[in-house]
């Protein structure tokens, strides 16, 4: 297995990556990790990134896709308030902006020679972020996602794996049943498709989890329930999220956007809540190793939240200690104290 870290081209991550990504390369050597899963954001020139440190690409997470894909002008204005905001969010005002974005990111993946890219089969809208009661089905979301991917890959130099990542919101690809996988893969016209298992997103589905042991036991049951479909899991986003109380508080909030006057204020409120739900914390219990008795992914990404290099290293080391059979040097370090 390749062991990767998550990084983006947002300014805060670039500050940590350092000039010419020298600090990022140093971080890999220091932590014993193999590379980064890169989330390209903004207008950053990704050719500045050393090719050898990139192990995968996470495609843009637009979240809201139905209205722009269907050219629903009324729906777009209902969500975004103005055409200018639509253009700022997507880079355009119609589906060509989405296609262009994804095709350029697949071209980037081809230039880096990465073995996989990640795509979220998702459509969600801000008004349902708190109550989790969207008026559409997961089937509609899966069909929309397949349609988008099929259009994007019609003209691409990329020839690697497209891996579909689970989320926790109802009406989306949650891995609640293998029917979701069957429907998605039957509709996507690409020869190399698989799954990214996001462990934190699995845990976010269950608001009753209180301890890490309960969380890992739930995770193992959910993965075991997939049966032979576990073989499709080619990558894992590994992080812990115990956020049941935050989710319940959201369910109980009758007016979460009170006082918000425009899309960006509503978006900021929703984003804060999503971050409260999706914690991206490291596991620390050795029971975590049992996950890899059930699956054999090619890549495992320590997908962790951090605000400084020191915090990042500390979280990486904590999760490595939970996986000591893969990182025996952690046991050696502990024995020295």
């Amino acid at each position: 297995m390749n062991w990767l870290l998550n990084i983006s081209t947002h300014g805060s991550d670039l500050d940590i990556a350092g000039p010419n990504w020298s600090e990022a390369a140093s971080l890999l050597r220091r932590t014993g990790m193999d590379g980064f899963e890169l989330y390209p954001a903004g207008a950053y020139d990704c050719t500045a990134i050393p090719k050898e440190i990139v192990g995968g690409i996470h495609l843009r997470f637009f979240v809201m896709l139905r209205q722009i894909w269907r050219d629903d002008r009324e729906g777009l204005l209902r969500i975004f308030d103005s055409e200018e905001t639509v253009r700022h969010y997507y880079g355009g005002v119609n589906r060509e902006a989405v296609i262009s974005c994804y095709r350029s990111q697949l071209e980037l993946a081809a230039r880096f020679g990465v073995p996989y890219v990640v795509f979220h089969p998702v459509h969600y809208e801000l008004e349902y972020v708190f109550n989790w009661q969207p008026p559409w089905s997961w089937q509609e979301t899966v069909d929309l996602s397949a349609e988008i991917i099929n259009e994007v890959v019609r003209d691409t130099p990329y020839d690697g794996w497209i891996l579909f990542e689970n989320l926790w919101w109802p009406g989306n690809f949650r891995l609640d049943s293998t029917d979701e996988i069957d429907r998605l893969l039957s509709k996507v016209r690409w020869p190399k498709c698989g799954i990214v298992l996001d462990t934190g997103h699995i845990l976010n589905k269950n608001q009753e989890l209180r301890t890490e042991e309960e969380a890992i036991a739930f995770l193992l049951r959910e993965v075991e329930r997939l049966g032979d479909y576990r073989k499709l899991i080619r990558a894992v986003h590994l992080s812990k999220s115990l956020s049941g109380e935050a989710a319940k508080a959201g369910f109980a909030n009758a007016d979460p956007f009170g006082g918000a006057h425009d899309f960006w204020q509503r978006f900021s409120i929703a984003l804060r809540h999503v971050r409260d739900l999706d914690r991206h914390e490291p596991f620390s219990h050795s029971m975590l190793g049992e996950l890899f008795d059930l699956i054999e992914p090619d890549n495992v990404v320590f997908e962790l939240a951090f605000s400084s290099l020191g915090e990042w290293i500390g979280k990486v080391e904590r999760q490595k200690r939970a996986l000591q059979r893969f990182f025996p040097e952690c046991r050696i370090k502990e024995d020295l104290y």
Side-chain angles (χ1 to χ4, degrees), residues 97-146:
V98 174
I99 294 170
S100 175
C101 175
Y102 283 137
R103 284 185 178 167
S104 68
Q105 292 191 338
L106 289 179
E107 289 171 6
L108 179 67
R111 288 202 301 273
F112 276 120
V114 298
Y116 76 94
V117 298
V118 179
F119 179 82
H120 282 289
V122 64
H123 170 73
Y124 223 61
E125 297 170 24
L126 301 186
E127 60 194 286
Y128 307 109
V129 165
F130 286 85
N131 65 27
W132 295 23
Q133 295 179 11
W136 59 82
S137 66
W138 67 260
Q139 290 91 338
E140 293 174 87
T141 301
V142 161
D143 292 354
L144 173 69
S145 300

Side-chain angles (χ1 to χ4, degrees), residues 59-73:
L59 301 178
R60 172 76 183 271
F61 186 21
F62 279 114
V63 188
M64 296 162 281
L65 282 166
R66 177 177 289 119
Q67 285 80 7
I68 194 163
W69 193 256
R70 302 291 186 227
D71 196 24
D72 176 4
R73 315 306 295 174

